[in-house]
Amino acid sequence: MASTSLGDFLNTARIQVDEALDRYLPRPPVCPAIVSDAMRYSVFAGGKRLRPILTLAAADAVERANVRHRPSGAGEATLLALPAACAIEMIHTYSLIHDDLPAMDNDTLRRGRPTLHVVYGDGIAILAGDGLHAEAFTLLAREPASGDHEIVSRKLRVLRVIGDAAGPAGMVGGQAIDLQAAGQAPGRAITLDGQGLRAMHARKTGALIRASAVSGAIMAGATTDIINAIDRYATDVGLAFQIVDDILDVEGKAEQLGKTAGKDAADAKPTYPSLFGLETSRTLAAECVARARQTLVDAMVTDGWLDAIAEWVVVRRS
Ligand code: GRG
């Protein structure tokens, strides 16, 4: 049955994603129990599932727009997009596991639990991250299983979009800039101004958020114009998400966030509040959401949950 509220859509999408992740993640005897247990410890620790939700919502929005012209096939798009949604959540979880390691951000609390390396040790945490990263691409190549040329070609496009977003041009590159800014890389620490901070976040968190929405649109068979519009929407949603993340690091409590609060200031990291102040940061986030919503209106992708998700990203408390 179609969702009647954003809360209903988010719940349904989270259940769909969690059930699929449980099916897709390998278990013994395919892999050693310790790898399976460690991967599952972090994947099922209770993340918000923002990225897979964006994938499914983008697919659903494209299908709704198409169904206005072809009133058949409703619901198929989310099934086509579900493997990409899960693959992205695997990559996101791997990035959190590695980010929390002593060699990177050195954190002990994530998703309301002790971080993976605290429980399993650094070696298994590195391997669980590596395992999730590799498994994500195996899944993208394998599912949805179809010999249909059109579906195979959409899968190939999505593989490239997600690989680019997760790799050196995207998340890995952004994390490297973050390490340089924190003085954790060879050479002198670099100083980020507002533009540098934005560029770093565009790679570190923005790229995967954009890939999440774009992958859903591609799997649903969107036109190039609609894919580009959804990309612009997600660019603004990703930036708003990051600004709010910085604000929550100042204002939130660890119990609510499920991760250490006040860490950015303790580590003297450049953030939106540290560069622009809290009020201006809130205004910047609201401007991003307004732009994202206008993009949907201009592209006539207004049916579905993308608009409500943009608003949710700034009112969230965790
Ligand atoms: C190790 C290559 C590599 C990259 C790490 C994503 C990342 C890059 C580091 C995470 C550091 C961080 C806390 C960034 C702020 C934004 C962010 C990604 C927050 C965590 O994402 P949420 O809030 O987490 O969507 P949940 O747990 O809800 O999935």
Side-chain angles (χ1 to χ4, degrees):
M1 203 178 72
S3 301
T4 52
S5 68
L6 177 65
D8 188 20
F9 175 77
L10 296 179
N11 281 341
T12 307
R14 284 182 182 128
I15 291 169
Q16 255 184 317
V17 166
D18 282 9
E19 284 177 357
L21 280 166
D22 188 41
R23 277 198 313 277
Y24 292 145
L25 283 170
R27 288 180 187 276
V30 171
C31 70
I34 193 163
V35 180
S36 162
D37 293 347
M39 291 192 304
R40 285 165 186 273
Y41 175 91
S42 289
V43 169
F44 295 114
K48 288 180 290 298
R49 307 295 193 226
L50 167 69
R51 293 153 192 80
I53 282 167
L54 272 174
T55 308
L56 298 188
D60 171 64
V62 168
E63 181 168 63
R64 285 168 187 255
N66 288 345
V67 163
R68 281 205 291 268
H69 310 292
R70 275 186 288 121
S72 67
E76 264 174 39
T78 43
L79 291 181
L80 286 175
L82 192 56
C86 292
I88 287 166
E89 185 64 20
M90 288 180 197
I91 293 170
H92 169 57
T93 305
Y94 122 69
S95 81
L96 298 181
I97 294 169
H98 282 195
D99 183 64
D100 288 334
L101 286 165
M104 297 230 192
D105 211 32
N106 192 19
D107 216 329
T108 55
L109 184 67
R110 172 70 65 185
R111 293 179 162 173
R113 291 182 174 185
T115 46
L116 189 64
H117 67 272
V118 167
V119 181
Y120 282 82
D122 294 2
I124 292 297
I126 291 169
L127 292 173
D130 291 341
L132 286 169
H133 195 187
E135 198 58 37
F137 288 95
T138 311
L139 172 61
L140 287 170
R142 194 182 67 225
E143 305 273 348
S146 169
D148 183 309
H149 178 265
E150 172 59 26
I151 301 297
V152 172
S153 133
R154 289 181 200 172
K155 277 166 58 174
L156 207 52
R157 265 181 93 181
V158 164
L159 263 161
R160 177 159 182 198
V161 164
I162 296 177
D164 280 346
M171 187 174 71
V172 165
Q175 182 76 348
I177 297 171
D178 199 24
L179 289 181
Q180 286 179 307
Q184 289 176 260
R188 279 164 62 95
I190 57 170
T191 304
L192 298 178
D193 58 7
Q195 219 180 355
L197 182 69
R198 184 179 175 147
M200 186 268 285
H201 286 314
R203 292 184 196 274
K204 190 174 115 173
T205 52
L208 199 61
I209 289 177
R210 282 172 58 200
S212 304
V214 165
S215 300
I218 293 174
M219 287 313 295
T223 61
T224 303
D225 283 351
I226 297 296
I227 292 169
N228 290 341
I230 285 183
D231 193 3
R232 287 195 299 280
Y233 155 88
T235 303
D236 278 316
V237 167
L239 183 54
F241 172 84
Q242 184 59 57
I243 297 171
V244 170
D245 204 74
D246 286 358
I247 295 172
L248 289 175
D249 189 73
V250 177
E251 295 187 327
K253 299 266 175 296
E255 313 84 68
Q256 205 174 18
L257 298 176
K259 62 181 180 182
T260 314
K263 199 148 187 314
D264 294 338
D267 296 344
K269 281 201 169 181
T271 64
Y272 276 88
S274 74
L275 289 181
F276 300 101
L278 279 168
E279 270 323 299
T280 304
S281 300
R282 272 191 265 276
T283 306
L284 288 171
E287 285 172 2
C288 288
V289 171
R291 267 197 311 271
R293 298 182 69 189
Q294 188 59 46
T295 299
L296 296 177
V297 172
D298 294 345
M300 294 192 288
V301 188
T302 45
D303 203 4
W305 301 104
L306 289 175
D307 181 70
I309 289 170
E311 287 203 81
W312 167 60
V313 159
V314 285
V315 296
R316 73 194 173 95
R317 303 305 303 162
S318 69

Short mmCIF file of all heavy atoms in Angstrom, two decimals, residues 80-104:
data_model
loop_
_atom_site.label_atom_id
_atom_site.label_comp_id
_atom_site.label_asym_id
_atom_site.label_seq_id
_atom_site.Cartn_x
_atom_site.Cartn_y
_atom_site.Cartn_z
N LEU A 80 13.64 -2.20 -8.36
CA LEU A 80 14.84 -2.10 -9.21
C LEU A 80 15.96 -1.34 -8.49
O LEU A 80 17.14 -1.62 -8.69
CB LEU A 80 14.51 -1.37 -10.52
CG LEU A 80 13.69 -2.13 -11.57
CD1 LEU A 80 13.36 -1.22 -12.75
CD2 LEU A 80 14.46 -3.36 -12.06
N ALA A 81 15.57 -0.37 -7.65
CA ALA A 81 16.57 0.49 -6.99
C ALA A 81 17.08 -0.09 -5.67
O ALA A 81 18.08 0.40 -5.14
CB ALA A 81 15.97 1.87 -6.75
N LEU A 82 16.40 -1.10 -5.15
CA LEU A 82 16.75 -1.61 -3.80
C LEU A 82 18.19 -2.12 -3.68
O LEU A 82 18.86 -1.80 -2.68
CB LEU A 82 15.73 -2.69 -3.40
CG LEU A 82 15.73 -3.14 -1.95
CD1 LEU A 82 15.55 -1.98 -0.97
CD2 LEU A 82 14.64 -4.21 -1.72
N PRO A 83 18.74 -2.86 -4.66
CA PRO A 83 20.14 -3.28 -4.51
C PRO A 83 21.10 -2.08 -4.43
O PRO A 83 22.03 -2.08 -3.62
CB PRO A 83 20.39 -4.12 -5.77
CG PRO A 83 19.04 -4.60 -6.19
CD PRO A 83 18.10 -3.48 -5.84
N ALA A 84 20.87 -1.05 -5.26
CA ALA A 84 21.74 0.14 -5.20
C ALA A 84 21.61 0.81 -3.84
O ALA A 84 22.61 1.25 -3.25
CB ALA A 84 21.38 1.11 -6.32
N ALA A 85 20.38 0.88 -3.32
CA ALA A 85 20.16 1.49 -2.00
C ALA A 85 20.98 0.75 -0.94
O ALA A 85 21.65 1.38 -0.11
CB ALA A 85 18.66 1.45 -1.65
N CYS A 86 20.96 -0.58 -1.00
CA CYS A 86 21.70 -1.38 0.00
C CYS A 86 23.21 -1.25 -0.20
O CYS A 86 23.97 -1.16 0.77
CB CYS A 86 21.29 -2.85 -0.09
SG CYS A 86 19.59 -3.12 0.43
N ALA A 87 23.65 -1.24 -1.45
CA ALA A 87 25.09 -1.12 -1.73
C ALA A 87 25.61 0.20 -1.16
O ALA A 87 26.69 0.26 -0.57
CB ALA A 87 25.34 -1.21 -3.23
N ILE A 88 24.84 1.27 -1.34
CA ILE A 88 25.27 2.58 -0.84
C ILE A 88 25.33 2.56 0.69
O ILE A 88 26.26 3.11 1.30
CB ILE A 88 24.36 3.69 -1.40
CG1 ILE A 88 24.68 3.89 -2.87
CG2 ILE A 88 24.53 4.99 -0.62
CD1 ILE A 88 23.67 4.70 -3.64
N GLU A 89 24.36 1.91 1.33
CA GLU A 89 24.41 1.84 2.81
C GLU A 89 25.63 1.03 3.27
O GLU A 89 26.24 1.34 4.29
CB GLU A 89 23.10 1.25 3.35
CG GLU A 89 22.99 1.25 4.86
CD GLU A 89 22.97 2.65 5.51
OE1 GLU A 89 22.67 3.64 4.83
OE2 GLU A 89 23.27 2.73 6.72
N MET A 90 25.99 0.00 2.50
CA MET A 90 27.21 -0.78 2.85
C MET A 90 28.45 0.12 2.75
O MET A 90 29.31 0.10 3.62
CB MET A 90 27.38 -1.97 1.90
CG MET A 90 26.38 -3.10 2.13
SD MET A 90 26.72 -4.44 0.94
CE MET A 90 25.19 -5.35 1.04
N ILE A 91 28.52 0.91 1.67
CA ILE A 91 29.69 1.80 1.49
C ILE A 91 29.72 2.86 2.59
O ILE A 91 30.76 3.15 3.18
CB ILE A 91 29.67 2.44 0.09
CG1 ILE A 91 29.88 1.36 -0.98
CG2 ILE A 91 30.71 3.55 -0.03
CD1 ILE A 91 29.64 1.82 -2.41
N HIS A 92 28.56 3.42 2.88
CA HIS A 92 28.48 4.43 3.95
C HIS A 92 28.94 3.82 5.28
O HIS A 92 29.72 4.44 6.01
CB HIS A 92 27.03 4.94 4.03
CG HIS A 92 26.74 5.77 5.23
ND1 HIS A 92 27.45 6.92 5.53
CD2 HIS A 92 25.83 5.62 6.24
CE1 HIS A 92 26.97 7.44 6.65
NE2 HIS A 92 26.01 6.67 7.11
N THR A 93 28.48 2.62 5.58
CA THR A 93 28.84 2.00 6.86
C THR A 93 30.34 1.70 6.90
O THR A 93 31.00 1.93 7.93
CB THR A 93 28.03 0.71 7.09
OG1 THR A 93 26.64 1.03 6.99
CG2 THR A 93 28.30 0.10 8.46
N TYR A 94 30.89 1.23 5.78
CA TYR A 94 32.35 1.01 5.73
C TYR A 94 33.08 2.31 6.02
O TYR A 94 34.08 2.35 6.77
CB TYR A 94 32.77 0.42 4.37
CG TYR A 94 33.77 1.23 3.59
CD1 TYR A 94 35.09 1.36 4.03
CD2 TYR A 94 33.41 1.90 2.42
CE1 TYR A 94 36.01 2.15 3.33
CE2 TYR A 94 34.30 2.69 1.73
CZ TYR A 94 35.60 2.82 2.20
OH TYR A 94 36.49 3.62 1.53
N SER A 95 32.58 3.43 5.46
CA SER A 95 33.30 4.71 5.65
C SER A 95 33.25 5.13 7.12
O SER A 95 34.21 5.70 7.64
CB SER A 95 32.73 5.79 4.73
OG SER A 95 31.56 6.38 5.26
N LEU A 96 32.13 4.86 7.78
CA LEU A 96 32.03 5.22 9.21
C LEU A 96 32.98 4.36 10.04
O LEU A 96 33.65 4.85 10.95
CB LEU A 96 30.58 5.04 9.70
CG LEU A 96 29.52 5.92 9.04
CD1 LEU A 96 28.14 5.65 9.64
CD2 LEU A 96 29.85 7.40 9.17
N ILE A 97 33.04 3.05 9.72
CA ILE A 97 33.95 2.14 10.46
C ILE A 97 35.39 2.63 10.33
O ILE A 97 36.11 2.76 11.32
CB ILE A 97 33.83 0.69 9.92
CG1 ILE A 97 32.44 0.12 10.20
CG2 ILE A 97 34.92 -0.20 10.56
CD1 ILE A 97 32.17 -1.21 9.48
N HIS A 98 35.80 2.94 9.10
CA HIS A 98 37.19 3.38 8.89
C HIS A 98 37.42 4.77 9.48
O HIS A 98 38.48 5.04 10.05
CB HIS A 98 37.54 3.33 7.40
CG HIS A 98 37.83 1.94 6.91
ND1 HIS A 98 38.44 1.68 5.71
CD2 HIS A 98 37.58 0.73 7.47
CE1 HIS A 98 38.57 0.36 5.54
NE2 HIS A 98 38.05 -0.23 6.60
N ASP A 99 36.42 5.65 9.36
CA ASP A 99 36.57 7.00 9.91
C ASP A 99 36.78 6.97 11.43
O ASP A 99 37.48 7.81 11.99
CB ASP A 99 35.33 7.83 9.58
CG ASP A 99 35.46 9.27 10.07
OD1 ASP A 99 36.36 9.97 9.57
OD2 ASP A 99 34.71 9.68 10.95
N ASP A 100 36.15 6.00 12.09
CA ASP A 100 36.23 5.93 13.56
C ASP A 100 37.56 5.35 14.06
O ASP A 100 37.86 5.42 15.25
CB ASP A 100 35.07 5.06 14.10
CG ASP A 100 33.73 5.77 13.98
OD1 ASP A 100 33.73 7.02 13.97
OD2 ASP A 100 32.70 5.09 13.90
N LEU A 101 38.35 4.77 13.17
CA LEU A 101 39.60 4.12 13.59
C LEU A 101 40.57 5.12 14.23
O LEU A 101 40.55 6.32 13.88
CB LEU A 101 40.29 3.49 12.37
CG LEU A 101 39.64 2.21 11.84
CD1 LEU A 101 40.19 1.89 10.44
CD2 LEU A 101 39.88 1.03 12.78
N PRO A 102 41.45 4.65 15.11
CA PRO A 102 42.44 5.55 15.73
C PRO A 102 43.26 6.31 14.69
O PRO A 102 43.65 7.45 14.91
CB PRO A 102 43.32 4.59 16.54
CG PRO A 102 42.42 3.44 16.85
CD PRO A 102 41.50 3.30 15.67
N ALA A 103 43.53 5.71 13.53
CA ALA A 103 44.34 6.40 12.51
C ALA A 103 43.58 7.53 11.82
O ALA A 103 44.19 8.35 11.12
CB ALA A 103 44.80 5.39 11.45
N MET A 104 42.26 7.56 12.00
CA MET A 104 41.49 8.64 11.36
C MET A 104 40.88 9.53 12.43
O MET A 104 41.56 10.29 13.08
CB MET A 104 40.43 8.04 10.43
CG MET A 104 41.07 7.26 9.29
SD MET A 104 40.43 7.70 7.71
CE MET A 104 41.10 6.39 6.71
#
